[in-house]
Amino acid sequence: MTGIAELPPALWMALAAVLMVVLPKAARAGVAVVVPLVALALLTRLEPGTYLTAGLAGFELVLFEVTKLNFVFGVIFLLISAVAAIYAWHLDDRTQQVAALLYGAGAVGVTFAGDFLSLLIFWELMAVASAWLVFARKTDDSVRAGFRYLMVHFAGGSLLLGGIILHHAQTGSLELTALSPEQGLPAWLILLGVAVNVALPPLHAWLPDAYPRATVTGAIFMSALTTKSAVYVLLVLFAGWDLLIYAGVAMALYGVVYAVLANDIRQILAYHIISQVGYMVAGVGIGTALSMNGAAAHAYSHILYKALLFMGAGAVIQATGKSKLTELGGLARRMKWVLVLFMIGAFSISGFPLFNGFISKSMIVSAAGKAHLDGVMLLLLLASVGTFLHTGLKIPVFTFWGQDRKLETRPIPRNMYVAMGILAFLCTLYGVAPGLLYSMLPFEAEYHPYTAYHLVETVPLLTFTFIGFWVLREKLAGEPYLAVDTDWFYRRSAPWADRLLVGPVNACFAAGAALRGRVVAFVERIWGNPRAWFRPGRGASETFDPDAERKPLAWSLAAILFFSVVLSLLLYFGR
Amino acid sequence: MKPLHWILLALPTLGALALQLFGPEHPYPKPWDKIPLFYAAFGFVGCVLIIIVSKALGKAFLQKPEDYYDRDR
């Protein structure tokens, strides 16, 4: 069995994606659930080590390498791929099912890659496959958003590739090892490329742009894989970069501000991905064993509760066809179980004791405090106020209570409840038994979440956030506006870029076509009918006119005959 | 909210206060740990600030009509 286990999980996922192309509907749903679980079961049998290398164009690639750090990420990526596939069980859409598996293959490929080149290949696979989960919504709005998403990720991939090329030129190695700011341009280019996927403002706008426009089921995969695989890469390459502490704090608060303004429920959740990933980025930046364990643990927890929240929001969209707070309201009685399951996700992300957000978020906050970064600690606590405010209060209050808009609800497939139930169970399980998660963490750092001072910190904070919300709740109702973000630069400038870059090229081609037309007309006029040469001034005629054309024809034939004879004689005697 | 709800909110707060005053010392204490119910005030003020500052930013710069990006098509 170990022989089979040594095949990379990305291969299993990619093979499943290929199978999807030919399998009938009934089998596809099963394969999408079972294959990630099989890959997960095989992965757990492996000890850290290198399992698959390959040569490509003279480069030695490490395609499958297990470390204590990438193991945690691999486990959660495979687990969430299986649960998201349960949520999508009812789907009869081959494109999405293939795309989701390839996307998962990309994510675990990045996670277990041991060199820069394999990492880049899987990185690009993720970008392309995930874009299909946006396209698959098949609305004009989604297709446009999908192309914006794809272009931003290609730009990010190019930065990464540029950095990798320079890094290889500098060091002569493609091995994935920690980078330092002193390495200059290569390291910074790689950081920029990874920053796109980690959704670091101002390079983040693809996330709240595309995620709310993805399909109901596709958004689950997206919420889990792209940003967290980038967090993993940050942990490997950029641990302890001070800049990331402040970048992370900025992310945590940036998402909070925009979540106040957002109206679409999945966009609010999307902005809170940025906020939550901010904690992880700060954890990477602090660079202590505790903070980096915190980043890995928080990625693990975050994937579980964020997928659950996206599933809850997706269930609301599936049932009502609406996604904006200004169009939702009063669903509590009709969607009781969705509400209950959503709230478990909301308590988790808000860091309520006994749920899994508490056991991982508090690690990063404590690590900041322990490293004497008091300002960072307080700002991260402020961000968690915002998290509870939006995900725990704004979304559920205005979706499930608020103004009852008498929406018609279609029943949602049972498999959606099953998937949400599994995640709600896991969110609670890890919250109650944090040791299950802590035992997987890569670094040596002792931590106990359920201590008196953590409760002193968390309980009044959340209670009074609720009171603050209650006092100002009317201000938080959704408003029918959009909030411009940094995608403004490429969305508003698109018409100008069009005029500047596409316009001249088009004008050039148009001028070329006009010139070609004139040349053709000229040639046709001159050469189109050689008979016209013989009757100057009278123009060409389609029919033979003996009076006009017999004489010149006779003369020219006689001339040809004469010169042929003369030429033959000259050639014969001239030898 | 009914009085009962406020009492339910007061209970965990008082519990946290008791823990803060009589519970074990923080292993790496912060200056603000001595202020009773600091985190309650922090949560309330933070919540109010987040709402007011974000809304002000939205009104001043960020909020646009929903068809803002569709006009150039």
Side-chain angles (χ1 to χ4, degrees):
Chain A
M1 273 303 273
T2 37
I4 293 176
E6 284 167 16
L7 293 173
L11 181 74
W12 292 110
M13 301 289 277
L15 282 178
V18 173
L19 260 182
M20 283 285 163
V21 177
V22 291
L23 285 178
K25 186 203 169 202
R28 288 204 300 271
V31 166
V33 176
V34 170
V35 171
L37 289 178
V38 169
L40 176 59
L42 293 174
L43 176 64
T44 54
R45 302 168 66 94
L46 291 179
E47 293 293 314
T50 303
Y51 292 97
L52 186 69
T53 58
L56 178 74
F59 295 113
E60 184 69 11
L61 302 188
V62 182
L63 287 169
F64 184 28
E65 182 178 66
V66 180
T67 64
K68 284 184 90 170
L69 176 58
N70 67 19
F71 179 79
V72 189
F73 284 85
V75 167
I76 189 63
F77 289 155
L78 290 169
L79 181 65
I80 204 67
S81 294
V83 181
I86 295 175
Y87 187 76
W89 187 277
H90 60 282
L91 213 63
D92 187 12
D93 182 347
R94 208 184 289 270
T95 315
Q96 271 197 73
Q97 289 169 314
V98 172
L101 276 168
L102 282 179
Y103 184 22
V108 286
V110 163
T111 308
F112 292 112
D115 68 285
F116 277 110
L117 201 55
S118 346
L119 179 114
L120 181 82
I121 294 167
F122 289 117
W123 193 266
E124 299 288 359
L125 175 65
M126 266 204 302
V128 174
S130 55
W132 251 259
L133 299 175
V134 185
F135 291 141
R137 191 98 181 272
K138 290 178 181 158
T139 62
D140 181 48
D141 200 32
S142 294
V143 172
R144 283 168 174 277
F147 276 109
R148 287 195 294 273
Y149 174 88
L150 208 48
M151 285 201 280
V152 171
H153 281 286
F154 282 159
S158 305
L159 290 169
L160 186 59
L161 173 62
I164 290 172
I165 292 171
L166 291 179
H167 177 75
H168 184 257
Q170 191 185 55
T171 63
S173 158
L174 282 176
E175 196 190 341
L176 268 191
T177 45
L179 301 172
S180 74
E182 289 78 40
Q183 278 169 287
L185 189 61
W188 288 94
L189 278 179
I190 293 173
L191 178 61
L192 273 179
V194 179
V196 170
N197 271 25
V198 91
L200 177 64
L203 306 173
H204 69 290
W206 56 269
L207 194 159
D209 181 22
Y211 285 18
R213 295 183 171 91
T215 60
V216 162
T217 52
I220 315 300
F221 295 95
M222 300 181 84
S223 78
L225 300 179
T226 299
T227 47
K228 264 62 75 186
S229 58
V231 166
Y232 160 72
V233 176
L234 282 184
L235 272 167
V236 174
L237 299 178
F238 301 101
W241 282 44
D242 284 344
L243 175 79
L244 291 179
I245 304 174
Y246 307 102
V249 171
M251 284 175 78
L253 292 170
Y254 193 97
V256 164
V257 168
Y258 270 92
V260 175
L261 303 173
N263 184 21
D264 185 295
I265 49 177
R266 288 197 298 176
Q267 193 167 46
I268 299 172
L269 293 177
Y271 273 115
H272 268 288
I273 294 180
I274 298 177
S275 181
Q276 293 296 302
V277 172
Y279 285 87
M280 301 166 213
V281 172
V284 176
I286 294 167
T288 60
L290 181 62
S291 78
M292 306 225 296
N293 267 355
H298 203 43
Y300 195 101
S301 298
H302 173 83
I303 286 173
L304 293 175
Y305 60 66
K306 189 55 94 176
L308 174 56
L309 292 166
F310 263 91
M311 285 178 182
V316 168
I317 295 168
Q318 178 88 11
T320 62
K322 310 264 183 227
S323 65
K324 289 176 181 167
L325 287 181
T326 42
E327 295 169 354
L328 290 165
L331 294 171
R333 203 164 300 158
R334 269 163 292 170
M335 302 190 72
K336 194 168 57 189
W337 285 107
V338 173
L339 170 61
V340 168
L341 294 163
F342 184 92
M343 286 318 291
I344 291 177
F347 289 143
S348 301
I349 193 177
S350 307
F352 274 66
L354 302 181
F355 295 96
N356 70 344
F358 178 76
I359 66 157
S360 54
K361 191 197 303 197
S362 66
M363 273 176 105
I364 299 172
V365 176
S366 299
K370 212 170 179 175
H372 304 292
L373 296 161
D374 291 1
V376 171
M377 180 182 170
L378 287 177
L379 289 173
L380 289 179
L381 284 170
L382 181 63
S384 60
V385 168
T387 308
F388 179 43
L389 181 61
H390 300 117
T391 314
L393 296 167
K394 177 179 170 176
I395 295 180
V397 164
F398 293 105
T399 302
F400 295 103
W401 290 284
Q403 186 187 341
D404 189 351
R405 293 182 209 271
K406 309 267 185 273
L407 294 169
E408 278 186 33
T409 52
R410 283 183 298 153
I412 61 169
R414 198 169 298 151
N415 54 293
M416 286 188 162
Y417 287 111
V418 173
M420 286 190 274
I422 292 171
L423 290 185
F425 170 74
L426 290 174
C427 285
T428 322
L429 177 70
Y430 284 114
V432 178
L436 292 175
L437 175 57
Y438 291 170
S439 63
M440 272 196 281
L441 295 179
F443 306 103
E444 291 299 327
E446 202 177 326
Y447 184 72
H448 302 285
Y450 292 109
T451 53
Y453 31 90
H454 283 139
L455 296 176
V456 167
E457 191 177 282
T458 310
V459 173
L461 191 81
L462 293 172
T463 311
F464 276 77
T465 300
F466 175 77
I467 293 173
F469 167 78
W470 192 256
V471 173
L472 290 174
R473 63 190 183 282
E474 266 139 46
K475 274 191 164 286
L476 268 182
E479 293 179 298
Y481 291 104
L482 61 80
V484 289
D485 204 336
T486 53
D487 54 346
W488 183 86
F489 290 100
Y490 52 83
R491 294 179 74 174
R492 286 298 275 189
S493 64
W496 292 96
D498 190 68
R499 255 167 265 175
L500 201 69
L501 301 173
V502 183
V505 175
N506 279 351
C508 193
F509 274 101
L515 180 64
R516 188 185 60 212
R518 279 205 297 278
V519 169
V520 167
F522 175 75
V523 168
E524 202 195 358
R525 188 153 51 80
I526 304 296
W527 300 93
N529 185 355
R531 295 204 316 262
W533 300 346
F534 301 132
R535 29 180 212 187
R538 270 179 292 171
S541 163
E542 287 305 312
T543 52
F544 181 68
D545 179 355
D547 292 336
E549 291 171 24
R550 184 170 289 154
K551 210 196 270 177
L553 266 178
W555 274 109
S556 42
L557 283 174
I560 290 166
L561 190 63
F562 175 74
F563 283 115
S564 306
V565 170
V566 171
L567 201 62
S568 310
L569 289 172
L570 278 175
L571 284 174
Y572 183 73
F573 291 108
R575 269 196 306 174
Chain B
M1 290 201 299
K2 295 176 192 136
L4 175 69
H5 294 148
W6 289 105
I7 293 167
L8 285 177
L9 286 178
L11 285 178
T13 312
L14 290 175
L17 180 64
L19 266 183
Q20 186 181 11
L21 297 178
F22 310 113
E25 179 83 357
H26 204 291
Y28 34 95
K30 298 293 170 192
W32 58 80
D33 282 340
K34 294 199 176 65
I35 307 168
L37 286 183
F38 167 80
Y39 286 107
F42 188 86
F44 184 79
V45 173
C47 178
V48 170
L49 271 182
I50 286 170
I51 297 174
I52 290 175
V53 170
S54 308
K55 283 286 175 190
L57 282 173
K59 289 284 172 292
F61 309 108
L62 303 175
Q63 280 184 319
K64 304 282 179 210
E66 284 185 314
D67 64 346
Y68 179 70
Y69 286 121
D70 303 328
R71 291 174 186 174
D72 294 319
R73 280 195 213 160

